[in-house]
Amino acid sequence: VYDGTPAATISGPINLGNIVSGDKVTAACVSGAFADKNVGDHKTVILSGVSLSGDDKGNYSLVANSITSSASITPATLTIAAQSASKPYDGNTSSSVAPTVSGLATGDSLLGVTQAYGSKNVLGTDGSTLQVAAGYTLSDGNGGGNYTVVTQTATGTITPKAITAALTGTTEKVYDGNSTATLTNANYALTGLVTNDTVTVSGNGSYSDKNAGEAKPVTVNLSDLSLAGTDAGNYTLSSTTGSITGKITPATLYYTATPASMIQGSAL
């Protein structure tokens, strides 16, 4: 199996050619080396330390120390494993945690290895699949052909990002006997949104009292607010800041006379 070196493991008998029938000669080999380190079949192996033995060894000399019939280097397994991670929502799939790499031979390099979430969005309890991102560079002197690359996934978690709603503008209503202040999305300026995300806020506030008046303080209960919009699920509303004032104008009270009649000239 590929190990980054040309060293060859010699096993089994070494066949000798041109032995006279009946002569007793065998060969043993200490070590060998492939012509190069890369994966391939039917590769030439140069033998080192070959020695002859047997009763008739003195009648022979070696003229070639190579074999090719069954010499091969098979690909090594290179495992790139994504690692479990979590992050607050940031609008992209990148992960700051790097995958682990195992099986890389000494002298080879693997550059630009990253992992990414399968989705940019906040998901449920199952989270998002973290997977090894494409685009890494494997340098082994053989265009990556010395390895079979295996990638492994992991579970990632993206948590909602906390944002703040700043109260802005004014509100106005006609006296209706309660202190409810009707607010619109325009009364809330969201801080902390990722660029181009679509999120709106809805929820009413309360005047300081129910009575008509100018420049009346309006307060908002955070628990009464809710987020909506395409990207609302990626956020949580953590607080409100600022304040607004509102106006309650007097209601119009109508008096309607009761119909009546009288005889002309009679006392009222």
Side-chain angles (χ1 to χ4, degrees), residues 89-91 120 161 192-198 231 235:
Y89 172 77
D90 59 7
K120 72 168 187 175
K161 183 180 181 182
L193 287 181
V194 171
T195 302
N196 296 326
D197 275 4
T198 301
D231 303 292
Y235 296 93

Side-chain angles (χ1 to χ4, degrees), residues 6-268:
T9 300
I10 308 301
S11 61
I14 297 175
N15 296 323
L16 296 173
N18 300 327
I19 300 298
V20 173
S21 177
D23 279 4
K24 296 179 178 180
V25 183
T26 59
C29 179
V30 175
S31 62
F34 290 92
D36 59 57
K37 69 174 185 175
N38 296 322
V39 167
D41 294 323
H42 306 297
K43 297 172 72 73
T44 297
V45 173
I46 306 301
L47 306 180
S48 300
V50 179
S51 59
L52 298 177
S53 61
D55 294 341
D56 302 297
K57 67 177 182 178
N59 298 316
Y60 297 92
S61 62
L62 289 169
V63 295
N65 288 352
S66 65
I67 57 175
T68 60
S69 60
S70 60
S72 62
I73 300 177
T74 57
T77 299
L78 179 65
T79 302
I80 310 174
Q83 300 298 293
S84 294
S86 64
K87 70 171 183 176
Y89 172 77
D90 59 7
N92 62 66
T93 61
S94 64
S95 171
S96 61
V97 177
T100 60
V101 178
S102 59
L104 190 67
T106 301
D108 292 346
S109 65
L110 187 64
L111 303 177
V113 181
T114 60
Q115 62 185 38
Y117 292 85
S119 168
K120 72 168 187 175
N121 297 318
V122 173
L123 300 177
T125 54
D126 292 338
S128 174
T129 299
L130 275 167
Q131 51 202 7
V132 176
Y136 56 80
T137 301
L138 174 58
S139 298
D140 63 352
N142 193 30
N146 292 324
Y147 294 94
T148 299
V149 178
V150 176
T151 60
Q152 298 175 350
T153 61
T155 299
T157 303
I158 299 178
T159 57
K161 183 180 181 182
I163 57 176
T164 298
L167 297 173
T168 184
T170 60
T171 186
E172 181 178 340
K173 75 171 184 176
V174 177
Y175 174 79
D176 59 3
N178 65 64
S179 61
T180 301
T182 301
L183 302 180
T184 68
N185 183 61
N187 291 119
Y188 301 99
L190 292 175
T191 302
L193 287 181
V194 171
T195 302
N196 296 326
D197 275 4
T198 301
V199 181
T200 60
V201 185
S202 61
N204 293 327
S206 298
Y207 290 94
S208 55
D209 57 56
K210 69 175 184 176
N211 299 320
E214 302 277 350
K216 300 176 70 70
V218 175
T219 58
V220 173
N221 189 339
L222 185 64
S223 62
D224 293 334
L225 303 182
S226 60
L227 299 177
T230 305
D231 303 292
N234 295 318
Y235 296 93
T236 181
L237 196 57
S238 62
S239 63
T240 60
T241 60
S243 61
I244 61 175
T245 58
K247 178 181 180 181
I248 301 178
T249 59
T252 301
L253 184 63
Y254 293 92
Y255 293 90
T256 302
T258 301
S261 64
M262 62 177 293
I263 297 174
Q264 184 176 5
S266 63
L268 292 176

